[in-house]
Amino acid sequence: MKKIDYKRKIRIVKSLDWKLIAIVFTIFLFGLVVLSSATHANVTGDLSQIYKQVLAFGIGTIVIVILLMFDYDSIGKHYKELYIVSFLLLAVLLIPGVGDVQFGAKSWIKIGNFNLQTSEIVKFTFILSYAKIIDNNKDNIGNVRVLGKLFVYALPFIGLLLAQPDLGTAVVFMCIIFFMLYTAGLSKKIIRNIIIGAAILTPIMYLFMAPHQKVRILNLFNPQASTNYQVLQSMIAIGSGGIFGKGLYLGSQNQENFLPVRDSDFIFAVIGEELGLIGMLFVIVMFVLMITRLLMIAKKSKNTYGTFIVVGITGMFTYQTIQNIGMTVGLMPVTGVTLPFVSYGGSSIITSLANIGIVLNVYLRRRRLGIYS
C-alpha cells in the first residue's frame, strides 16, 4: 500500500487558486443572502430553499475534492465515453414519460422531490469530451474537412436541446463551442463566414421555434407589449432601486410578488431593487474578476487540452452571466439561463462547482504534483 506524503498534500492545498475559490465563494454567499429575500424567508420563516442551496454547494464542494484527485489528462482519455454519456443524458428526455416539462421545455427528470436538469450535467461532460476532440484535431483546425467533422460532433447536442425546446441552453453550448474553436486558431475568414451563416439561418430558425419562444423574440423589439410582463416588472424593480436600493427585504416588486421567477431567472432584478446600482455593480465586478481569473488559468495550462477545457468553461459562464443580466433589463430575450452561483437550483450549483473543480485541476497541474511518495 502506498504511503501518503502529507507534507506534499499540504503543498497541493497551498497550490490551489485560492483567489478563484474566494471569488466564487463570495458570489455564492452574496447570492444566498439575496435568495433569502427572493424566497420571502424573512416573512415566512421557511428556509427550505436556502438549506437546499447550501446542501447543493456542499455536494459541489465534495465533487471538487474528488475531481482534484485525478489528473484531468486521465479524465480526458475517456472522452469517447463522456461523449456518449452526454448524448444519452439529453436523448433520454425525449422518451415519452421520462422528460418532465417545466417552463415550456422538456429538460427535466423528476426523481422524487428532486428535479434534475440533465443539460447542466452535460455542460460539464461535453466540455471535457469536446475539448479533447478539438485537441486531437488542433493542428488541422483550418482544414474544411476537419472543421466540418468538429461541427458534426457538436450538432447532435444542439439538435437535442432545440428539440426540448431549450433555446437558451442551446446557445450556451454554441458559445462553449465557439470559444474553444476560436482558441484553437480559427481564421478570421472562417469566423466571418460563421457569423454570416448564423445571420442567414436565424430567420429560418425563427420559423421552427415554439410559440412562446417567438413571443420572447418579438418582445425584445417591443418591450412594452403585454406579453412581456416578466421583463416589464423586472425593469420596474431595477429602476425603482436607484443607486443604493430600497434595502434588503424592502423591495415592493419582490416582496409583493409582482416580480416573477425571482428566485432564479430574475434574481438580478431583486438585487437591483433592494441593493440598487451599488449591489448590481458589485455582482458584475465579481463576475468580471472570475472570468479574468479563468482566462489567466487557461493561459497557464501545461497543455492545450487544459486550455480548451478552461476556455470552454469561461465561454459558458460569460454567456450565462451576460444573458441572465441582459434579459432582466430588456437587452436579451427571456430564457431559462440562470445567473451562476446566485440563482436557485441544485443542478446548476453542483455542476457549476464541478466546472470550477476541473479549472482548479488544470491550475493545480500547471506543474506536476502528486500526493503519493
Side-chain angles (χ1 to χ4, degrees), residues 85-338:
V85 169
S86 301
F87 177 83
L88 292 176
L89 282 172
L90 290 181
V92 71
L93 293 168
L94 301 181
I95 299 174
V98 176
D100 186 48
V101 178
Q102 295 185 29
F103 308 109
K106 199 174 185 180
S107 308
W108 307 77
I109 294 178
K110 201 168 184 64
I111 306 172
N113 294 324
F114 182 72
N115 292 314
L116 175 66
Q117 189 173 10
T118 60
S119 59
E120 290 293 334
I121 301 173
V122 175
K123 288 176 187 175
F124 174 71
T125 55
F126 174 79
I127 287 172
L128 290 173
S129 173
Y130 199 69
K132 192 64 178 180
I133 293 171
I134 292 178
D135 190 49
N136 291 339
N137 293 275
K138 63 181 182 293
D139 295 331
N140 299 300
I141 199 71
N143 184 286
V144 176
R145 178 177 289 183
V146 171
L147 195 58
K149 181 174 71 173
L150 293 174
F151 279 124
V152 168
Y153 275 119
L155 197 58
F157 296 91
I158 305 300
L160 286 170
L161 288 166
L162 292 175
Q164 291 182 4
D166 187 354
L167 179 61
T169 305
V171 177
V172 172
F173 273 71
M174 291 177 192
C175 288
I176 291 170
I177 293 162
F178 179 78
F179 268 63
M180 285 185 182
L181 290 175
Y182 176 79
T183 304
L186 275 186
S187 67
K188 292 182 179 179
K189 180 180 178 181
I190 293 175
I191 293 173
R192 185 179 67 247
N193 290 338
I194 290 173
I195 294 172
I196 293 172
I200 293 172
L201 289 173
T202 298
I204 299 173
M205 288 177 63
Y206 176 81
L207 298 174
F208 294 96
M209 288 181 184
H212 73 278
Q213 291 176 330
K214 290 181 179 179
V215 169
R216 289 174 177 177
I217 297 295
L218 292 175
N219 286 342
L220 187 63
F221 303 100
N222 184 19
Q224 299 301 317
S226 59
T227 52
N228 204 26
Y229 176 82
Q230 292 175 310
V231 176
L232 286 172
Q233 296 302 320
S234 174
M235 293 173 71
I236 290 171
I238 292 172
S240 65
I243 296 177
F244 300 103
K246 297 176 179 178
L248 189 65
Y249 307 124
L250 299 176
S252 55
Q253 291 294 112
N254 170 32
Q255 296 297 327
E256 295 177 21
N257 297 318
F258 289 108
L259 187 63
V261 205
R262 57 190 174 272
D263 61 343
S264 56
D265 294 3
F266 287 90
I267 199 166
F268 189 76
V270 177
I271 296 171
E273 181 180 29
E274 299 190 351
L275 302 175
L277 179 63
I278 300 299
M280 292 189 293
L281 286 177
F282 175 78
V283 173
I284 291 170
V285 168
M286 292 307 296
F287 276 113
V288 170
L289 289 175
M290 185 183 81
I291 290 165
T292 302
R293 200 70 195 163
L294 291 175
L295 290 173
M296 182 279 295
I297 293 172
K299 289 181 180 179
K300 287 191 173 184
S301 172
K302 69 181 179 182
N303 54 29
T304 52
Y305 177 49
T307 297
F308 295 146
I309 289 173
V310 180
V311 165
I313 291 169
T314 304
M316 177 187 71
F317 283 137
T318 300
Y319 172 74
Q320 287 187 193
T321 303
I322 293 172
Q323 166 61 36
N324 183 274
I325 294 175
M327 75 180 185
T328 63
V329 295
L331 295 178
M332 300 287 277
V334 175
T335 65
V337 175
T338 56

